[in-house]
Amino acid sequence: MDDDEGGAAAPFPSTSRWTLVKKALLWFPVVFVMGVLIYCYYAYIVTFCGKLHATVCTSLIL
Amino acid sequence: MYISDPLAVILIHGDPSHKTRGALYIVAFNIFMLLFLWAFWKTVLSDAGRPSEYPNLVLTHPAEPGVIEAPEPFERDGKTWLPSAYARYCVTCRYPKPDRAHHCSMCKRCVLKMDHHCIWLNNCVGMKNYKFFILTLVYGFLLVLFVDITIFQQLLYDAINSQLIWNDLQLLIALVLSFSLGMAAFALLVYHIYLVLRNQTTIEALEASERKDEQRRLKAFRRREGREMSPRPDPQFNPYDQGSALVNIESAIGSNRWLWPVPILDETLGTGLWFPRKKEDSTAIV
């Protein structure tokens, strides 16, 4: 059965809403990969920038 | 602290918190990240190619399907006549289905030279975005490799020098996450390099594997009955393998080698409607 078909056999009263939810769920893996990337980016940059900052500050003080 | 392993000496004495090294890491990391994101979003947002892009397609087929090499497509009466191993037609799209095209039940359309539907990209991988997909795997793996090596080096250095701080926990989580994704990307990359070298899609490889299994079952069945199986063609025969790895790579990602590492579509790739096929060796006994 097509997703946009209505009628009694429809799994939810509003099929178009269900289609929207399904479409949104299909994007979840993409969002997950992006989330992991953003986290790694944050962890990596913050750490190395933090270390860099500390090194630069130390060298300036000394 | 005495360390005998030369690798450990390099890792520990090469202080990653040194400002030059740190700056280089950040530049290299951003380059890998940009290349990966470029390839990734090109794969996600590109159309893999569909037969309906080409109006008035007519499929013809040679007298002996799959055996005689098909001639190239030609135009007549405003129509594109497309020689195909079998005159295939998609009943869902109500449109001719060229060789190597398949209907994707997720995308609800036919895809030219369909490889597979990737849930991680929410898109079909086919004729026009296969190169981007390969580059996503390549740059994803390189990014993860770089990140994991440098993070590991940093953590090892901090642990040996008792300088572990809160940021190192974040690094550890990033290491585990990126390592998991990287291993998956690596396995997929190795498999797809194998497929590219053979000019085969994932669907074709699975079909060949199914044919092989079927033939093995049939052979076992005949043996139980005490009968010999008649000679059959090789179930893993791939008619699109051009015999040369380089030609196979060019037919998958284009012949312009300057564009190979760049996620830009190579116009030399062709339409995806027709592919040269080699003759099947009908004398092969399996």
Side-chain angles (χ1 to χ4, degrees):
Chain A
M1 194 177 79
D2 287 338
D3 293 329
D4 52 356
E5 278 180 10
F12 286 90
S14 172
T15 320
S16 59
R17 195 178 296 164
W18 174 235
T19 311
L20 263 176
V21 171
K22 272 206 295 188
K23 276 187 180 170
L25 282 175
L26 288 175
W27 281 99
F28 178 75
V30 180
V31 174
F32 175 77
V33 172
M34 280 297 108
V36 170
L37 269 182
I38 290 166
Y39 180 77
C40 288
Y41 191 87
Y42 165 77
Y44 200 83
I45 295 295
V46 161
T47 304
F48 278 108
C49 281
K51 296 266 177 191
L52 259 184
H53 183 69
T55 316
V56 172
C57 287
T58 314
S59 61
L60 280 176
I61 291 163
L62 292 174
Chain B
M1 186 177 175
Y2 178 72
I3 300 154
S4 57
D5 187 356
L7 179 66
V9 172
I10 294 164
L11 283 171
I12 292 159
H13 290 282
D15 177 2
S17 65
H18 189 271
K19 60 181 177 183
T20 315
R21 189 187 292 258
L24 281 174
Y25 281 179
I26 290 170
V27 170
F29 174 72
N30 276 297
I31 290 170
F32 282 128
M33 182 66 99
L34 277 174
L35 284 169
F36 172 75
L37 284 174
W38 186 8
F40 180 83
W41 283 105
K42 278 285 273 192
T43 324
V44 172
L45 300 173
S46 298
D47 191 343
R50 53 184 90 185
S52 54
E53 282 172 36
Y54 304 92
N56 300 323
L57 268 187
V58 180
L59 292 189
T60 60
H61 59 87
E64 291 177 72
V67 177
I68 293 174
E69 195 168 1
E72 290 196 24
F74 58 95
E75 301 226 345
R76 196 177 66 201
D77 309 326
K79 293 176 181 175
T80 304
W81 292 75
L82 199 65
S84 173
Y86 301 94
R88 301 158 76 220
Y89 186 82
C90 179
V91 288
T92 315
C93 299
R94 295 175 184 177
Y95 208 74
K97 199 159 66 171
D99 289 347
R100 309 184 91 180
H102 295 276
H103 185 85
C104 175
S105 55
M106 295 290 284
C107 301
K108 295 180 176 26
R109 59 182 172 83
C110 279
V111 175
L112 290 171
K113 199 190 173 190
M114 182 176 171
D115 192 88
H116 67 286
H117 180 91
C118 181
I119 59 154
W120 298 102
L121 302 163
N122 191 25
N123 198 7
C124 259
V125 177
M127 182 70 194
K128 291 184 180 172
N129 63 356
Y130 188 67
K131 179 189 169 185
F132 309 148
F133 173 72
I134 294 283
L135 288 177
T136 303
L137 294 179
V138 170
Y139 292 135
F141 175 66
L142 289 178
L143 174 70
V144 165
L145 193 69
F146 177 77
V147 164
D148 285 352
I149 288 173
T150 51
I151 284 183
F152 182 70
Q153 184 188 16
Q154 178 71 53
L155 288 175
L156 195 65
Y157 180 83
D158 288 350
I160 296 289
N161 293 286
S162 306
Q163 289 176 358
L164 284 169
I165 50 170
W166 174 246
N167 276 351
D168 288 326
L169 179 65
Q170 293 180 335
L171 277 188
L172 189 66
I173 297 170
L175 180 72
V176 172
L177 282 173
S178 61
F179 186 76
S180 320
L181 281 183
M183 283 300 100
F186 179 69
L188 207 55
L189 179 63
V190 169
Y191 181 59
H192 277 276
I193 288 172
Y194 165 77
L195 290 178
V196 166
L197 292 176
R198 299 193 65 208
N199 198 358
Q200 200 171 29
T201 65
T202 304
I203 291 177
E204 287 160 4
L206 290 174
E207 282 174 348
S209 173
E210 277 173 20
R211 279 198 302 271
K212 194 180 176 185
D213 286 346
E214 200 176 313
Q215 209 168 94
R216 198 183 296 131
R217 281 197 296 273
L218 187 65
K219 215 171 182 175
F221 178 71
R222 290 279 165 92
R223 204 181 293 122
R224 275 201 301 275
E225 283 190 331
R227 288 192 290 168
E228 277 297 309
M229 200 165 101
S230 54
R232 283 166 193 272
D234 181 6
Q236 291 196 303
F237 172 73
N238 172 23
Y240 304 107
D241 187 350
Q242 300 300 298
S244 152
L246 192 65
V247 178
N248 287 342
I249 293 170
E250 284 177 347
S251 66
I253 61 175
S255 54
N256 186 345
R257 290 181 201 177
W258 292 105
L259 285 179
W260 279 6
V262 192
I264 294 173
L265 188 67
D266 188 348
E267 296 301 326
T268 61
L269 208 54
T271 57
L273 294 173
W274 178 84
F275 303 91
R277 287 194 303 271
K278 65 178 181 185
K279 288 179 185 177
E280 191 168 3
D281 186 6
S282 54
T283 58
I285 300 170
V286 178

